[in-house]
Amino acid sequence: DQQVKQNSPSLSVQEGRISILNCDYTNSMFDYFLWYKKYPAEGPTFLISISSIKDKNEDGRFTVFLNKSAKHLSLHIVPSQPGDSAVYFCAAIGDSTNAGKSTFGDGTTLTVKP
Amino acid sequence: DAGVIQSPRHEVTEMGQEVTLRCKPISGHNSLFWYRQTMMRGLELLIYFNNNVPIDDSGMPEDRFSAKMPNASFSTLKIQPSEPRDSAVYFCASSFGDRGNQPQHFGDGTRLSIL
């Protein structure tokens, strides 16, 4: 049973437009959510996070939205740049006392075309 | 600042051989995680340590896999004997804090190929 799902394996957008990456989860105990970006031959790097007590967190071009009732979160990148082309992983933490054990989605490959 | 350091970056060996993957976490981090990434199963958590103590090893696939963290600056993941289906990229990650809402910092992984 996959508790964190990224249903779109890939997404292609034009440079300058908005990229929207989606993530759904099933476990209502998740209380913290993170997005990671991964380039080929490198490890994932942390991008942005959101606590379950919030519905939006913004950091520059990156905004994460959380809809708890729908168990859905999304990452918006505006404007998209070719350097944003990477695999994006959504991750969820179920218990903030468990030393950070995260459950990851399978990732979405974003391609930003010049 | 040095990030999480994994070695080797690539390992090719024949089935049946022992494989040892190494990880040096970021200094001061007290949680360490081992992941395996494959096309079929995505990014799987194998085991994680907090303050050098294994907390959850439920993701370790078989008894052939073992992990140790003898001190705060070093961890190993061992496969003995190795099998072709163990071929994957293995990531180590570390984080700071006990509350769990801290992002993890990943190494660049070890690409393991078992022939």
Side-chain angles (χ1 to χ4, degrees), chain B residues 33-82:
Chain B
F33 308 82
W34 282 101
Y35 292 90
R36 177 172 68 176
Q37 185 182 29
T38 61
M39 290 293 292
M40 292 296 295
R41 300 177 67 88
L43 197 60
E44 301 175 89
L45 177 66
L46 301 177
I47 185 171
Y48 78 96
F49 297 83
N50 183 247
N51 294 322
N52 310 338
V53 176
I55 303 299
D56 185 346
D57 65 354
S58 60
M60 296 286 263
E62 299 173 34
D63 290 345
R64 299 184 295 106
F65 286 69
S66 62
K68 293 182 179 179
M69 191 165 187
N71 56 63
S73 59
F74 184 66
S75 178
T76 59
L77 177 68
K78 188 172 293 187
I79 309 173
Q80 167 62 21
S82 58

Side-chain angles (χ1 to χ4, degrees), chain A residues 5 7 20-26 33 35 55 64-76 90:
Chain A
K5 295 183 181 180
N7 291 318
I20 300 177
L21 297 99
N22 294 303
C23 179
D24 296 295
Y25 62 96
T26 57
F33 304 90
W35 284 93
D55 55 17
V64 56
F65 295 92
L66 175 62
N67 183 332
K68 283 186 64 178
S69 60
K71 294 188 176 69
H72 177 83
L73 64 155
S74 60
L75 174 67
H76 292 212
C90 168

Side-chain angles (χ1 to χ4, degrees), chain A residues 33-44:
Chain A
F33 304 90
L34 309 95
W35 284 93
Y36 291 83
K37 178 169 71 174
K38 183 184 180 304
Y39 292 119
E42 296 182 7

Side-chain angles (χ1 to χ4, degrees), chain A residues 17-32:
Chain A
R17 306 295 291 269
I18 184 172
S19 296
I20 300 177
L21 297 99
N22 294 303
C23 179
D24 296 295
Y25 62 96
T26 57
N27 189 339
S28 59
M29 296 301 293
F30 288 143
D31 61 2
Y32 199 75

Side-chain angles (χ1 to χ4, degrees), chain A residues 42-84:
Chain A
E42 296 182 7
T45 57
F46 170 70
L47 190 58
I48 192 170
S49 62
I50 188 167
S51 165
S52 61
I53 63 173
K54 296 185 175 182
D55 55 17
K56 177 183 176 181
N57 188 28
E58 189 173 354
D59 183 2
R61 297 186 296 113
F62 303 91
T63 303
V64 56
F65 295 92
L66 175 62
N67 183 332
K68 283 186 64 178
S69 60
K71 294 188 176 69
H72 177 83
L73 64 155
S74 60
L75 174 67
H76 292 212
I77 306 174
V78 181
S80 301
Q81 300 174 353
D84 296 329

